[in-house]
């Protein structure tokens, strides 16, 4: 009998106390008020890309938690190719945050990254205790995912410069809720102490 391959990762660690979540960043922006959100999302994407590179250097896995846009026959590669098309409003964002071969992805049907997805199983497999939440929209899918992560006793780190909503007011309100209600630690992306988090120092 062939030995079971328990390594789901390839070149990244088999276990990680910390995981970086990118929520709905591969996005066609095919919805009302998309232009308003893009204005904030594109600067955010550059901050996420820099944070993702820091995580890669620290061997912290990245998980794309992405909406399926109601296209039930699609997979993540199909969603990515659609968003990379020159006709897509989200092309620039997808180019900046295009996943690499070692990244994970989870397609979600609703707002929360945990609802009817494999995210919970993946995080348990990785033995993840801390999630760094980034993405769009801060006041909807990021907030819903943060809520479900909190209910699973995960420690939340949220970089405010890596979250975008339709308006600054909505974004600030979402960050306040995550901080006060869900005990999220709000830390600018360049200042997140990744090595310290890996050691799980409170």
């Amino acid at each position: 009998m062939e030995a079971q391959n328990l390594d789901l990762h390839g070149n990244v660690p088999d276990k990680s106390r910390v995981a970086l979540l990118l929520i709905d960043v591969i996005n066609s922006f095919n919805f009302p008020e998309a232009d308003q959100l893009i204005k904030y999302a594109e600067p955010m994407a550059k901050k996420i890309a820099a944070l993702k590179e820091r995580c890669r250097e620290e061997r912290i896995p990245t998980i794309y938690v992405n909406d399926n846009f109601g296209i039930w026959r699609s997979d993540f590669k199909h969603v990515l190719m659609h968003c990379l098309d020159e006709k897509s409003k989200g092309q620039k964002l997808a180019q900046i945050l295009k996943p690499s071969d070692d990244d994970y992805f989870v397609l979600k049907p609703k707002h929360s990254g945990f609802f009817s997805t494999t995210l919970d199983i993946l995080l348990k497999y990785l033995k993840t205790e801390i999630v760094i939440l980034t993405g769009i929209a801060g006041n909807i899918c990021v907030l819903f995912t943060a809520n479900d992560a909190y209910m699973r006793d995960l420690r939340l780190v949220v970089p405010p410069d890596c979250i975008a909503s339709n308006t600054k007011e909505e974004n600030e309100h979402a960050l306040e809720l995550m901080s006060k209600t869900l005990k999220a630690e709000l830390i600018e992306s360049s200042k997140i102490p990744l090595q310290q988090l890996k050691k799980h120092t409170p």
Side-chain angles (χ1 to χ4, degrees), residues 23-71:
I23 301 168
D24 285 345
V25 297
I26 305 301
N27 200 310
S28 64
F29 290 92
N30 184 25
F31 51 83
E33 301 180 346
D35 292 339
Q36 187 178 11
L37 181 55
I38 288 174
K39 178 175 67 173
Y40 298 110
E42 289 183 352
M44 171 209 72
K46 295 175 183 177
K47 297 286 188 178
I48 294 177
L51 176 59
K52 185 185 173 193
E53 177 60 21
R54 286 184 61 214
C55 286
R56 186 192 66 79
E57 291 171 359
E58 292 294 338
R59 296 175 62 78
I60 292 171
T62 293
I63 305 171
Y64 286 74
V65 182
N66 222 87
D67 200 89
N68 68 1
F69 304 113
I71 307 172

Side-chain angles (χ1 to χ4, degrees), residues 53 85 127 164 174:
E53 177 60 21
D85 188 275
K127 297 191 182 301

